[in-house]
């Protein structure tokens, strides 16, 4: 139960920070997504069931503030978290280099998925911000991954979720 409360609290905290503090730090109209970066880093150190849940939950939270199409972030976050879990199974999660690079690549892939889905429903967005957003998420993931890895080493975070 403590694990679920911790993850829910962190998701809500990062959602609030995404919508209040991060727009103040934007460069050329681009700012990082703490919530998405947290979801990727958490998925790398967890199993696939948790990755699906965290991807859907964080995507739904992002879709609340996404006016162009509800469900796009939910789908793309879930897919990226599943891929992140598969990456985490095949690497040494103790080392932070590959998870951070994976976070960068998955941020760009998510941006391309959202761009394509919005384009398919005739919502035009700027394709140029995807790379800059990925770089910004890369910088955030340097710190976020270390935090999430230390959090995952706590005894209460190693218990299984029960649904």
């Amino acid at each position: 139960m403590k694990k679920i409360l911790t993850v829910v609290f962190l998701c809500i905290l990062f959602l609030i920070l995404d919508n209040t503090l991060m727009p103040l730090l934007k460069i050329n109209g681009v700012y990082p997504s703490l919530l998405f970066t947290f979801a990727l880093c958490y998925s790398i150190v967890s199993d696939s069931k948790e990755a699906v849940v965290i991807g859907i939950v964080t995507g739904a939270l992002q879709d609340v503030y996404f006016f162009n199409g509800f469900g796009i972030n939910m789908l793309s976050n879930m897919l990226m978290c599943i891929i992140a879990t598969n990456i985490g199974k095949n690497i040494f999660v103790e080392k932070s280099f590959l998870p951070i690079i994976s976070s960068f690549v998955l941020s760009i892939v998510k941006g391309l998925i959202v761009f394509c889905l919005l384009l398919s429903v005739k919502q035009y967005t700027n394709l140029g911000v995807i790379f800059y957003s990925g770089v910004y998420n890369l910088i955030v993931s340097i710190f976020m991954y270390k935090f999430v890895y230390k959090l995952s080493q706590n005894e209460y975070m190693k218990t299984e979720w029960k649904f």
Side-chain angles (χ1 to χ4, degrees), residues 39-138:
L40 287 179
C41 292
Y42 187 78
S43 296
I44 288 173
V45 298
S46 63
D47 65 350
S48 58
K49 289 179 186 177
E50 292 178 26
V52 169
V53 171
I54 198 80
I56 290 172
V57 168
T58 58
L61 290 173
Q62 286 179 329
D63 279 337
V64 169
Y65 293 99
F66 192 64
F67 299 113
N68 294 334
F70 189 82
I72 291 176
N73 282 313
M74 204 179 321
L75 175 66
S76 60
N77 281 15
M78 183 190 67
L79 292 174
M80 295 303 102
C81 287
I82 290 170
I83 294 170
T85 296
N86 290 330
I87 291 170
K89 288 178 184 175
N90 297 317
I91 63 172
F92 294 111
V93 294
E94 299 84 21
K95 307 291 184 190
S96 61
F97 179 73
L98 285 177
I100 291 169
I101 297 300
S102 299
S103 176
F104 168 68
V105 171
L106 292 173
S107 293
I108 291 177
V109 171
K110 180 200 175 189
L112 292 172
I113 289 172
V114 169
F115 177 79
C116 291
L117 289 173
L118 288 176
L119 191 64
S120 70
V121 293
K122 308 273 191 270
Q123 294 286 326
Y124 301 104
T125 59
N126 187 0
L127 183 62
V129 301
I130 293 172
F131 178 74
Y132 296 117
S133 178
V135 170
Y136 224 157
N137 283 343
L138 169 76

Side-chain angles (χ1 to χ4, degrees), residues 4-74:
I4 295 171
L5 290 176
T6 302
V7 172
V8 168
F9 171 76
L10 288 173
C11 285
I12 292 171
L13 174 69
F14 290 135
L15 174 71
I16 292 169
L17 290 175
D18 268 352
N19 292 307
T20 57
L21 180 65
M22 289 299 113
L24 300 175
L25 301 175
K26 66 182 167 184
I27 298 173
N28 292 334
V30 176
Y31 54 91
S33 174
L34 296 175
L35 187 60
F36 179 64
T37 306
F38 171 73
L40 287 179
C41 292
Y42 187 78
S43 296
I44 288 173
V45 298
S46 63
D47 65 350
S48 58
K49 289 179 186 177
E50 292 178 26
V52 169
V53 171
I54 198 80
I56 290 172
V57 168
T58 58
L61 290 173
Q62 286 179 329
D63 279 337
V64 169
Y65 293 99
F66 192 64
F67 299 113
N68 294 334
F70 189 82
I72 291 176
N73 282 313
M74 204 179 321

